[in-house]
Amino acid sequence: GEDVEQSLFLSVREGDSSVINCTYTDSSSTYLYWYKQEPGAGLQLLTYIFSNMDMKQDQRLTVLLNKKDKHLSLRIADTQTGDSAIYFCAERESSASKIIFGSGTRLSIRP
Amino acid sequence: DAGVIQSPRHEVTEMGQEVTLRCKPISGHDYLFWYRQTMMRGLELLIYFNNNVPIDDSGMPEDRFSAKMPNASFSTLKIQPSEPRDSAVYFCASSLVGAGNTIYFGEGSWLTVV
């Protein structure tokens, strides 16, 4: 079945870049997503990438997709304290339309 | 648009009681999802609907859980009887086919069963 894996924790210094990695198993995944969850809140969509793309950039966010290795990453440039949150990677097949989430990576920022 | 609206935001109930969680999806969306989030199991898909019809309920933990979608603007998730291990945050989400098939989440219903 489908599976999405992420490391549980990441700590970076304020101002540095954060790179959060994700691997998935379903080669038929059509859409891949990054969501952000702040404490006590729901999941907020950050960005998504279609499977025929290698890269997508949106302001401080860069998403890289290696479809051969089934590896997705999210880079946050100039990480700020407001970026502290849990980041979820997710995949979706176009046909089944259900979205499978990873366990989430908790990003903490140190001064 | 107001986004996905869930109620109640917080509920504390005693073991054995019935719990009903409610969701209003974004207007015009044709998919609705119920997820459960716990520290131990992360974010689990319980059930999802397409055009008010349940498509996949394989994630529903057991018969104590049921979900309905009587119309395009309302869904319920019911737990009867509730147990302490049902304590979790329950998220409702909705999406529309196309435009990245993005799903939008509500703020969640925080359930504590004592």
Side-chain angles (χ1 to χ4, degrees):
Chain A
E2 314 96 334
D3 194 21
V4 178
E5 293 192 356
Q6 306 176 237
S7 54
L8 292 180
F9 300 99
L10 177 66
S11 176
V12 299
R13 188 177 304 175
E14 187 175 2
D16 287 352
S17 291
S18 306
V19 180
I20 303 171
N21 294 300
C22 168
T23 57
Y24 59 97
T25 57
D26 192 344
S27 58
S28 64
S29 294
T30 306
Y31 296 97
L32 295 128
Y33 306 85
W34 285 104
Y35 281 81
K36 176 183 181 182
Q37 185 182 31
E38 296 181 348
L43 277 71
Q44 173 194 1
L45 176 70
L46 282 179
T47 186
Y48 69 91
I49 189 168
F50 192 54
S51 59
N52 67 355
M53 298 169 64
D54 298 324
M55 186 184 87
K56 182 177 181 182
Q57 187 154 3
D58 183 3
Q59 298 182 343
R60 292 191 297 123
L61 305 180
T62 303
V63 177
L64 295 178
L65 175 61
N66 181 330
K67 198 171 180 183
K68 174 175 169 290
D69 294 338
K70 301 193 187 93
H71 182 267
L72 185 72
S73 68
L74 173 70
R75 178 177 180 270
I76 306 173
D78 187 24
T79 308
Q80 302 298 307
T81 55
D83 296 324
S84 293
I86 302 175
Y87 290 81
F88 289 89
C89 170
E91 63 167 354
R92 187 174 196 177
E93 294 178 355
S94 60
S95 56
S97 294
K98 65 180 180 181
I99 295 186
I100 304 299
F101 285 83
S103 56
T105 299
R106 185 179 295 273
L107 176 65
S108 62
I109 316 301
R110 58 183 190 273
Chain B
D1 200 311
V4 177
I5 300 172
Q6 293 186 243
S7 65
R9 285 297 315 277
H10 299 272
E11 178 149 349
V12 180
T13 191
E14 292 186 346
M15 183 173 65
Q17 296 298 305
E18 178 179 291
V19 173
T20 300
L21 308 178
R22 298 173 176 81
C23 175
K24 181 180 187 308
I26 293 173
S27 177
H29 280 192
D30 53 0
Y31 282 87
L32 184 140
F33 304 82
W34 282 101
Y35 285 88
R36 177 173 70 174
Q37 186 178 33
T38 62
M39 288 290 291
M40 292 297 294
R41 301 174 70 91
L43 199 61
E44 303 172 275
L45 176 63
L46 300 178
I47 185 171
Y48 75 97
F49 297 81
N50 177 219
N51 292 323
N52 312 340
V53 176
I55 303 300
D56 184 349
D57 66 353
S58 59
M60 295 286 262
E62 48 198 274
D63 292 345
R64 297 184 297 108
F65 285 69
S66 62
K68 293 182 180 179
M69 192 165 185
N71 58 62
S73 58
F74 184 66
S75 177
T76 59
L77 178 68
K78 188 172 292 187
I79 308 172
Q80 166 62 21
S82 58
E83 296 182 4
R85 61 192 167 120
D86 301 330
S87 299
V89 185
Y90 291 83
F91 287 105
C92 178
S94 70
S95 75
L96 177 65
V97 172
N101 288 325
T102 305
I103 71 170
Y104 296 89
F105 282 78
E107 291 295 297
S109 291
W110 299 66
L111 174 65
T112 302
V113 183
V114 297

